[in-house]
Amino acid sequence: MTTLTEAVRAGRTAEVVGLLDAMTDAERRALFPELKALRKELRATRWDGPSRRAYPALYVAGVACQTGAAGVASWIAAADMRWPGVSPAVLLRVLAGRETDWLADLANRLAQRPATAQVPYELMSALVRLAGCPVPTTDAYVRGWVQQVGGNWRRGNTLLERLRTDPHLAPLVAALFEVNDIGGLLEWAADEGPAGWHGALAQLTAEGPLDRRATVDACVARLLRGGTNADHRAFLRVLTSLALTREEQRERVADWVALASDAVSPVASHAQSVLGALILEGQLTYRHLADMSEAVLFRPERKLVRAQLVLLGKVLARDAAAADELLPAVAQAFGHEDAGVQERALKLAQRHVKKVRSAEVRAELASAAHELIPPLRAQAVGSLGAAPAEAAAAYEEVLPLVPEPTRLAPAAASVVELAEEVGAALASDTGVTGFERALDGLVRHAHRDRDALLEALEPVVSRRWWDGADPFHDLRLEHQFGDARGGFDGFAGLDLLLITLRGKLSTARLHAAIRPGAPHRTCMHGALSRAFDARLWEVAYRIRTDPLPFLLSTPTWSTGLLEPDELVERLDAYRRLGARVSAADFAQALLRVRRGDRPAAAAAAERAAALGTTEGRRLAHWLTAGAPVLPAIRRRASGPHILAESGELPTLREDFPDAFRALGRPSSAFTQSRYCAHWSGSAHPHWLAVLPELRELVAVRILRDLSAVAVDDSRGAASVLPLLAESGGEAGEATHLCVAYGLGARHSEDRLAAVDALLVLAARGQLDAARLGADLGELVRHGAVKPIRLAESLRTAASTGAYATVWGLLGHALPPLLSDLAADGPAGPVRGLGDLLAVAAECAERSGARGDLPHLARAADRRGSSRLVVEARRLRGALATEVAA
């Protein structure tokens, strides 16, 4: 071992630098292979004390002992070299003797690394300064510059003063407008004037260091390109700080029109105000206004649309000759989703239609009137010459086809095919189907030829985090799999079997996991988790001690259901082989076997009894027993959450292993801990497959998770809702309450999942509209669900053709909300109630719903023209027995 390597191992960085200074380039290069070997050695024990001590010195030595700039850049930016804490000044010292071209090459290579590589900006900028090369304008370099210049407040001067002295100001500012997701850094110094980026850039543009035209063009182009909300806010502030002149605004009319059409609301509003000012000053033609209006009036934001109608009204009031060109643009708003916008547009058209000279324009207005809601269309018959509405055809509800479960294919026939399936299941979520096939395949091939299975699985196992000799990984393995009551999902379940096959868990540990005992977890998910885990632990133990020939509980269908004939055949095969049945595997098979088809169940029961085995008689008794009566479910409030608790289900507490009996015990979100390890929701689909004909027992236990997507704005838990809707058993109070929370979720993907579940329940004839509607009304009044989110979900569901279904929900959800408008109710209406009324009105109009809605008249008779009042009047008109043509 050389002196340099000894100093590196000891972590004596200063001594390493001194040794390197005394070496020639050839001597340094000769030592690099030894440093590479040391790095490889330290990487295996990266987190222990000696490694952490050696890494800073190794970092410096590796930079100094390489010849090529590419190798040095890779060494500096390597993932295992990011945390040594070495000052850039130390690296610059060992690099100082290199040629300027080499330093420039290194600076550019480091700058081209992604920002996530965390290359210090101080190092890159110092290399640029030493090399005297053009400044890099890459993402990483510009981000580092923004952070360095914007965050260097300790120097006591302003951001403006720091930018004035920057020799690379122009190219870096130009690149600033090209970097994605930079707005958050610009807003960090968002003070007014020279202390903020927008004020500083505007001042530098006025003083001359920055070219004004180039800066304005770059800022407008950046807003046109789009990006994050922070980007829009930051660059819009820059643009407004530049205070464009009318001439500069007029030169970019096409850009303003594009921004008004497609940009986010704040940017579109700014563009709209610029164009409006130009139009009112007579600097743009009516054609420009018409083009702009046709784009803006299609936007969903009511504020923008109303502002555009106001602008059109001002121009039409000024010049009667503008009617022929502008009224067709006004008619674009006749099809807007907001009835208030339609009413404003119709009144504007009615006010100025007499000024129209062209017969073609009049015909166009009359034709566009067919997009209006029925009450407004009736007004347009006389004022715009629209044709009377034809008698509507009988309404027909459109619901999706009832989803059919898919049959699981047989387990992989070869170990090579199985290894591919296991790798796929570990790489991405393949659901219940992929997990169960992989699980059954591992059991079958471990029984046939364990050595061949291990050989085929080697490429899969070698990529798992727990494989290898890293002590840190061994500690994590002990923590995750050492607890016999640990909670598994599909990924961890397959890992358990692979770890067992690999011999990383002792037989004593596996045996301890299958011994009966009190559950460590008392959360709502505990019973489901224990039942799912018990089979996995028992299968792992049997792989080690007495391998099973195959699993009895592998489902027939993707929902988790198991056909009774198949289970009888598997028990018969076990009898012929003389195999010992796994208690947990058989218990899971009983819970999965389909009992809904009574004739098929009775026939299979006869065959099972004829086997003459204990398991055959148990199956025969289970198949002939009546369907279990679900326990009573009672709801209670916990803050904004409305949760549920269930009673006891005795049939699940008889003749089942200890781990499965908890499924029949009472469950309460109020007595069981809400804090547990099941936060990800990845096990939810597998829990549904544990009880494929008793989904209410699953729903009541995951209800708090579902409530969080609406109340706490969490993400992802509602993805299980379509599977819940496709599952078997009664869709009762807990299932409907889960769907209700999903419809009010914060994130759009969760709301879409809830819409899918709603439509599936409706298509299967399992939707209780009165129950779900009452739930929605209660959740809104309780503050758990926001009406605007709910309205978006229901509008999406209705747009698929399920108008009657959605009306059925809203007909029960709206009355309690409307009742709060009474004099003795809250001071104001629920925010977003107008959006719900708009969806209800559209559904009533399209489905032909008629009748009276309690408390609607009070809302419709309120004064004013708010959306709530307008939509309440629209709904009342739609529900009237006779509607004007």
Side-chain angles (χ1 to χ4, degrees):
M1 182 184 299
T2 63
T3 304
L4 178 67
T5 305
E6 290 180 356
V8 169
R9 283 187 178 277
R12 299 191 294 269
T13 305
E15 181 182 340
V16 167
V17 173
L19 292 171
L20 291 169
D21 287 342
M23 293 180 186
T24 64
D25 287 345
E27 290 172 334
R28 292 182 180 183
R29 286 195 299 271
L31 290 172
F32 185 64
E34 194 171 324
L35 295 176
K36 284 178 64 178
L38 177 58
R39 178 186 179 185
K40 184 177 181 180
E41 176 188 332
L42 294 180
R43 191 181 291 160
T45 57
R46 184 179 176 189
W47 303 101
D48 63 9
S51 294
R52 291 198 300 270
R53 185 168 56 250
Y55 257 111
L58 176 63
Y59 186 50
V60 174
V63 168
C65 294
Q66 296 186 71
T67 303
V72 173
S74 297
W75 188 275
I76 291 173
D80 59 332
M81 294 292 183
R82 290 178 190 170
W83 54 273
V86 176
S87 168
V90 177
L91 296 182
L92 291 170
R93 176 178 170 180
V94 299
L95 293 172
R98 305 292 179 104
E99 297 180 355
T100 56
D101 289 347
W102 189 95
L103 293 173
D105 186 17
L106 177 60
N108 280 281
R109 288 179 182 276
L110 290 175
Q112 289 167 6
R113 295 278 173 169
T116 53
Q118 302 175 17
V119 177
Y121 169 76
E122 295 85 349
L123 175 62
M124 295 187 289
S125 61
L127 289 171
V128 170
R129 185 171 60 254
L130 288 174
C133 61
V135 65
T137 55
T138 62
D139 182 277
Y141 195 93
V142 173
R143 286 180 184 278
W145 174 70
V146 170
Q147 291 173 309
Q148 176 73 12
V149 176
N152 201 2
W153 52 270
R154 291 185 180 86
R155 290 170 53 182
N157 51 7
T158 65
L159 175 62
L160 174 61
E161 292 168 338
R162 294 195 291 274
L163 289 174
R164 279 194 182 121
T165 61
D166 194 311
H168 306 295
L169 176 66
L172 288 173
V173 169
L176 181 67
F177 293 100
E178 301 295 328
V179 176
N180 292 324
D181 198 15
I182 195 73
L185 296 178
L186 299 182
E187 288 184 323
W188 179 259
D191 298 333
E192 298 297 327
W197 277 96
H198 60 284
L201 293 178
Q203 184 64 30
L204 291 169
T205 302
E207 293 175 0
L210 296 177
D211 181 76
R212 180 175 178 84
R213 185 178 186 85
T215 303
V216 172
D217 286 344
C219 193
V220 173
R222 185 66 183 79
L223 292 172
L224 284 168
R225 197 176 78 206
T228 64
N229 289 334
D231 285 351
H232 287 122
R233 287 193 302 268
F235 290 111
L236 181 58
R237 293 189 75 182
V238 173
L239 183 63
T240 54
S241 297
L242 290 171
L244 272 61
T245 64
R246 282 286 183 259
E247 180 62 29
E248 289 173 323
Q249 291 174 346
R250 192 167 55 249
E251 291 174 353
R252 297 169 175 84
V253 170
D255 294 332
W256 305 128
V257 172
L259 290 173
S261 304
D262 300 319
V264 297
S265 290
V267 177
S269 180
H270 175 76
Q272 185 184 45
S273 64
V274 171
L275 289 170
L278 291 173
I279 288 167
L280 293 176
E281 291 175 6
Q283 299 190 43
L284 296 181
T285 65
Y286 296 147
R287 186 66 257 163
H288 286 114
L289 177 57
D291 291 342
M292 168 196 177
S293 299
E294 289 177 0
V296 173
L297 294 178
F298 268 112
R299 295 185 64 116
E301 301 96 330
R302 294 190 295 275
K303 183 178 179 181
L304 287 175
V305 174
R306 289 174 180 175
Q308 193 66 24
L309 291 174
V310 169
L311 176 60
L312 287 164
K314 289 179 179 179
V315 175
L316 286 167
R318 283 185 178 187
D319 188 356
D324 285 85
E325 195 156 13
L326 296 183
L327 280 185
V330 172
Q332 298 292 324
F334 288 176
H336 198 274
E337 64 182 27
D338 182 79
V341 168
Q342 291 189 21
E343 186 175 11
R344 286 172 178 262
L346 177 60
K347 288 180 177 179
L348 183 59
Q350 289 172 330
R351 190 179 306 128
H352 299 285
V353 69
K354 293 180 180 179
K355 301 174 184 178
V356 174
R357 300 174 183 176
S358 169
E360 292 181 358
V361 172
R362 288 181 178 274
E364 187 175 347
L365 292 174
S367 176
H370 290 288
E371 298 292 328
L372 294 165
I373 61 176
L376 297 180
R377 191 187 315 150
Q379 297 178 28
V381 170
S383 59
L384 300 184
E390 298 179 359
Y395 173 75
E396 184 176 350
E397 184 84 341
V398 178
L399 292 173
L401 296 175
V402 176
E404 296 291 339
T406 57
R407 181 181 280 272
L408 267 68
S414 69
V415 290
V416 174
E417 182 184 354
L418 173 62
E420 293 176 354
E421 290 188 5
V422 172
L426 290 170
S428 61
D429 187 4
T430 55
V432 171
T433 301
F435 168 75
E436 292 290 346
R437 288 193 71 238
L439 185 67
D440 188 39
L442 287 172
V443 170
R444 289 173 182 269
H445 287 285
H447 180 266
R448 293 174 189 170
D449 190 340
R450 184 176 180 274
D451 293 337
L453 175 60
L454 277 172
E455 182 179 353
L457 287 171
E458 181 61 32
V460 176
V461 171
S462 62
R463 294 195 296 267
R464 303 307 293 162
W465 61 265
W466 44 261
D467 193 52
D470 192 330
F472 175 75
H473 289 164
D474 289 342
L475 287 174
R476 184 179 167 192
L477 182 66
E478 180 74 16
H479 173 73
Q480 181 163 344
F481 293 97
D483 181 5
R485 304 297 187 267
F488 292 145
D489 57 11
F491 300 107
L494 292 178
D495 267 332
L496 173 63
L497 264 66
L498 295 178
I499 289 167
T500 301
L501 287 166
R502 197 72 157 179
K504 283 185 167 288
L505 284 180
S506 67
T507 305
R509 175 77 65 186
L510 295 171
H511 185 259
I514 66 172
R515 286 201 305 264
H520 290 185
R521 284 184 168 81
T522 58
C523 66
M524 283 290 290
H525 317 102
L528 294 166
S529 179
R530 285 192 70 204
F532 179 71
D533 297 352
R535 181 176 62 135
L536 294 171
W537 281 113
E538 194 163 299
V539 167
Y541 177 70
R542 291 290 297 272
I543 283 178
R544 179 65 56 79
T545 60
D546 181 16
L548 297 167
F550 53 83
L551 291 177
L552 295 172
S553 58
T554 302
T556 307
W557 304 101
S558 56
T559 58
L561 274 178
L562 171 59
E563 290 296 330
D565 284 342
E566 288 192 29
L567 181 53
V568 174
E569 291 172 2
R570 293 172 188 175
L571 286 175
D572 190 23
Y574 261 65
R575 182 185 59 81
R576 293 194 306 270
L577 293 170
R580 183 166 57 91
V581 171
S582 161
D585 184 36
F586 182 59
Q588 178 62 90
L590 290 178
L591 293 177
R592 282 178 171 171
V593 70
R594 187 160 66 97
R595 298 192 289 172
D597 186 344
R598 301 310 300 166
E606 291 183 11
R607 293 180 55 205
L611 295 177
T613 62
T614 302
E615 290 78 15
R617 289 188 292 272
R618 175 77 174 97
L619 174 59
H621 174 72
W622 180 256
L623 289 173
T624 54
V629 178
L630 288 177
I633 292 180
R634 184 167 67 95
R635 62 175 60 191
R636 287 171 54 188
S638 174
H641 300 261
I642 296 177
L643 303 174
E645 53 190 6
S646 65
E648 186 177 56
L649 187 60
T651 55
L652 294 186
R653 301 194 62 183
E654 302 169 356
D655 299 327
F656 275 95
D658 180 71
F660 288 82
R661 290 175 187 167
L663 294 170
R665 297 190 183 111
S667 176
S668 173
F670 307 95
T671 60
Q672 294 169 302
S673 173
R674 60 173 294 188
Y675 301 104
C676 64
H678 309 108
W679 53 269
S680 71
S682 57
H684 289 174
H686 300 285
W687 293 344
L688 278 171
V690 170
L691 296 168
E693 286 193 322
L694 293 170
R695 61 177 154 199
E696 274 292 282
L697 295 187
V698 180
V700 75
R701 288 176 166 87
I702 64 172
L703 182 55
R704 181 177 281 278
D705 302 336
L706 269 297
S707 71
V709 302
V711 179
D712 304 322
D713 294 348
S714 66
R715 185 194 295 266
S719 62
V720 75
L721 287 175
L723 298 178
L724 183 66
E726 294 173 23
S727 193
E730 178 184 341
E733 187 164 355
T735 298
H736 281 74
L737 201 50
C738 284
V739 174
Y741 277 118
L743 292 172
R746 162 66 176 83
H747 299 284
S748 59
E749 62 268 30
D750 287 318
R751 293 196 298 271
L752 288 174
V755 168
D756 287 343
L758 168 68
L759 297 175
V760 168
L761 287 174
R764 297 182 71 186
Q766 297 172 341
L767 178 67
D768 187 336
R771 167 181 276 166
L772 182 55
D775 287 343
L776 291 171
E778 183 180 9
L779 292 176
V780 170
R781 295 185 78 190
H782 210 68
V785 165
K786 292 179 171 57
I788 294 176
R789 299 176 184 172
L790 176 59
E792 183 177 338
S793 296
L794 295 181
R795 185 179 293 111
T796 301
S799 66
T800 66
Y803 293 100
T805 298
V806 174
W807 167 248
L809 302 180
L810 287 171
H812 292 87
L814 287 172
L817 303 179
L818 293 171
S819 69
D820 290 340
L821 298 177
D824 57 348
V830 175
R831 183 175 180 268
L833 181 55
D835 295 85
L836 285 175
L837 287 168
V839 178
E842 182 179 6
C843 290
E845 290 164 356
R846 290 182 178 268
S847 66
R850 298 291 182 266
D852 181 42
L853 190 68
H855 311 293
L856 177 62
R858 183 183 293 115
D861 291 339
R862 289 165 66 95
R863 295 181 179 179
S865 58
S866 66
R867 190 176 197 206
L868 185 152
V869 174
V870 170
E871 297 296 350
R873 292 169 183 167
R874 174 188 173 189
L875 178 56
R876 181 172 62 176
L879 293 175
T881 305
E882 293 181 4
V883 181

